[in-house]
Amino acid sequence: MANISGPGFIGEIDLYTTTTTVPSGYSVGQLLFGPNGKYYRFGQVGAVALVMGNMLQGSAIDTTYTNMVVGTAVTAANVTSGQDFIQITNGTATITSEQFLGGSLSIYTAGTIAIGDEYTILGVSGTLTTGGALTVQLDRPLRAAVTTSATVNMRRSPFSGVLQSIASTLTASCAGRAMTAAAASTATVSQYTFFQTHGVGSVLSDGTSILVGSPVAVPSATAGAVILGAAGLANVGQAMQAAASGKGIAVFLQVD
């Protein structure tokens, strides 16, 4: 069941290391409070090692997980009994069981009264290859019947498969700042770490026109770097010093 609770506070855990397992009590995307008003998100590193001080984005959006077919209808009786999973048909890529942990499943098209309903994904099982039948475990019971004429969207957590912010055109939403050179995940071993999303941090600059108090944003022409905020860019915070290109500048991050 999904329950509302306050975010955790940093205790003994080391923010600057990676781990191959999700520690007890943590989850992908979990928000934690740290000292001096800083916020952190726990997440999974993508297939390329991170660069300290770089801005990050989530895994590139895969459109094969838009408008997915519901394989088995959820009936009114299933809703009454508290069914907390849904069966859908996989997209055109083989996935791993943990790939969508902390992600989102939402009702996309007609065939149900539940259009726009959204759930957090706790796990995926079944046939994980192209076109396979997936069972998607949800964080709470379904709230309405879903027919096989309905379709759904599956999205990874913004903090799963995290990579360096792409130059020129983002392919996912901003995930924060890399605090350490976290090792890359592989096909068999996931690497988890923390990303800073709020408060004072050092970020790579790609512009000389940034002044104290200027909004800073991604993407820029340099992967992982911020540039002066402008229309059409994703603002990530405010500069705390005038920028020099290729330098690490102090930024008050406001991703969260």
Side-chain angles (χ1 to χ4, degrees):
M1 293 290 289
N3 296 301
I4 302 299
S5 61
F9 290 83
I10 297 299
E12 299 298 322
I13 196 161
D14 188 343
L15 296 173
Y16 298 90
T17 59
T18 58
T19 175
T20 57
T21 59
V22 179
S24 176
Y26 287 80
S27 59
V28 172
Q30 184 168 345
L31 174 66
L32 296 177
F33 285 163
N36 303 317
K38 296 180 180 181
Y39 301 176
Y40 305 94
R41 292 279 189 169
F42 182 77
Q44 181 200 34
V45 183
V48 178
L50 304 183
V51 178
M52 183 169 55
N54 272 202
M55 292 304 298
L56 307 170
Q57 66 159 67
S59 175
I61 299 299
D62 186 340
T63 57
T64 65
Y65 295 95
T66 296
N67 202 24
M68 301 175 75
V69 173
V70 175
T72 302
V74 178
T75 66
N78 295 145
V79 173
T80 300
S81 68
Q83 180 173 313
D84 58 358
F85 65 89
I86 189 168
Q87 294 176 324
I88 60 177
T89 302
N90 193 13
T92 58
T94 298
I95 65 173
T96 63
S97 58
E98 71 274 3
Q99 189 169 331
F100 285 90
L101 286 177
S104 170
L105 183 138
S106 57
I107 308 300
Y108 182 57
T109 65
T112 174
I113 62 171
I115 290 175
D117 203 7
E118 185 272 340
Y119 301 84
T120 297
I121 298 171
L122 299 183
V124 180
S125 59
T127 304
L128 305 180
T129 53
T130 299
L134 301 178
T135 297
V136 183
Q137 188 69 42
L138 307 174
D139 65 321
R140 61 189 183 279
L142 288 149
R143 293 181 289 192
V146 182
T147 73
T148 55
S149 61
T151 61
V152 303
N153 291 336
M154 280 178 67
R155 287 290 179 265
R156 294 182 72 170
S157 166
F159 307 98
S160 173
V162 168
L163 63 149
Q164 185 184 53
S165 180
I166 300 296
S168 302
T169 303
L170 296 180
T171 55
S173 57
C174 183
R177 161 189 172 264
M179 302 185 298
T180 187
S185 295
T186 68
T188 56
V189 179
S190 290
Q191 299 284 348
Y192 300 93
T193 191
F194 287 90
F195 316 116
Q196 186 183 354
T197 60
H198 192 89
V200 179
S202 179
V203 178
L204 179 66
S205 167
D206 188 33
T208 58
S209 57
I210 297 171
L211 302 176
V212 174
S214 294
V216 292
V218 290
S220 74
T222 301
V226 295
I227 198 168
L228 181 67
L233 302 180
N235 284 347
V236 297
Q238 300 177 47
M240 298 177 68
Q241 69 181 89
S245 187
K247 307 295 185 182
I249 65 167
V251 168
F252 189 87
L253 292 168
Q254 295 171 308
V255 177
D256 269 326

